């Protein structure tokens, strides 16, 4: 399964960069996403018919940014793709490109997307 384009649509919805796995740009608000698992979820005659991917969507925002609107818009969109199973948020410290320690809000949404198996 390849749900990348579906997740990439968040870039148009929110107007911020969306990248698989890692973002190396300079924007203060961005999204990364990672496949946590992908496995068959429905069988017929001992053959897999559907796959389910568990995808972690990571929203990064400045600590003083009101992220709730973004979080809700992401959740609402992901719910059109599958089942949102987890949403959590916290502040973490990271080292910027110029070696300064900064704080950032990290919000995680996990979605299960099921699609028919491609032949």
């Amino acid at each position: 399964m390849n749900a990348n384009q579906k997740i990439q649509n968040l870039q148009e919805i929110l107007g911020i960069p969306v990248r698989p796995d890692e973002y190396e740009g300079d924007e203060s608000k961005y999204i990364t996403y990672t496949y946590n698992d992908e496995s068959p979820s429905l069988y017929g005659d001992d053959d897999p018919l559907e796959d389910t991917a568990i995808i972690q969507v990571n929203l990064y925002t400045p600590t003083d940014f009101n992220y709730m609107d973004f979080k809700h818009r992401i959740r609402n969109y992901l719910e059109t793709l599958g089942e949102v199973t987890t949403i959590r948020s916290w502040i973490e410290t990271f080292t910027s490109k110029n070696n300064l320690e900064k704080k950032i809000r990290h919000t995680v949404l996990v979605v299960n997307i099921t699609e028919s198996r491609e032949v």
Side-chain angles (χ1 to χ4, degrees):
M1 168 189 311
N2 186 343
N4 289 6
Q5 187 53 54
K6 293 177 181 178
I7 302 300
Q8 285 293 146
N9 288 339
L10 287 167
Q11 185 162 308
E12 284 115 44
I13 292 168
L14 298 175
I16 62 175
V18 176
R19 302 290 183 272
D21 302 316
E22 183 176 32
Y23 175 71
E24 294 183 345
D26 294 324
E27 298 295 325
S28 64
K29 296 180 276 296
Y30 58 91
I31 290 173
T32 64
Y33 60 95
T34 304
Y35 286 71
N36 288 349
D37 184 49
E38 183 178 343
S39 58
S41 55
L42 179 67
Y43 290 86
D45 293 330
D46 295 327
D47 291 323
L49 302 176
E50 290 182 348
D51 291 319
T52 297
I54 301 171
I55 301 174
Q56 178 173 310
V57 177
N58 304 284
L59 169 66
Y60 294 94
T61 56
T63 58
D64 60 352
F65 176 74
N66 184 356
Y67 70 102
M68 295 301 277
D69 177 60
F70 273 20
K71 180 180 82 166
H72 293 151
R73 290 167 63 193
I74 294 167
R75 178 204 60 205
N76 293 345
Y77 174 69
L78 293 177
E79 285 175 341
T80 70
L81 304 178
E83 177 188 9
V84 175
T85 61
T86 303
I87 302 174
R88 62 187 188 277
S89 184
W90 63 90
I91 304 294
E92 62 188 32
T93 302
F94 76 101
T95 303
S96 67
K97 288 181 181 179
N98 53 4
N99 289 324
L100 297 176
E101 281 199 359
K102 299 176 98 179
K103 292 190 185 259
I104 194 166
R105 180 174 307 280
H106 185 176
T107 302
V108 172
L109 300 94
V110 177
V111 62
N112 297 348
I113 300 174
T114 300
E115 293 182 352
S116 295
R117 172 71 67 100
E118 295 176 15
V119 180

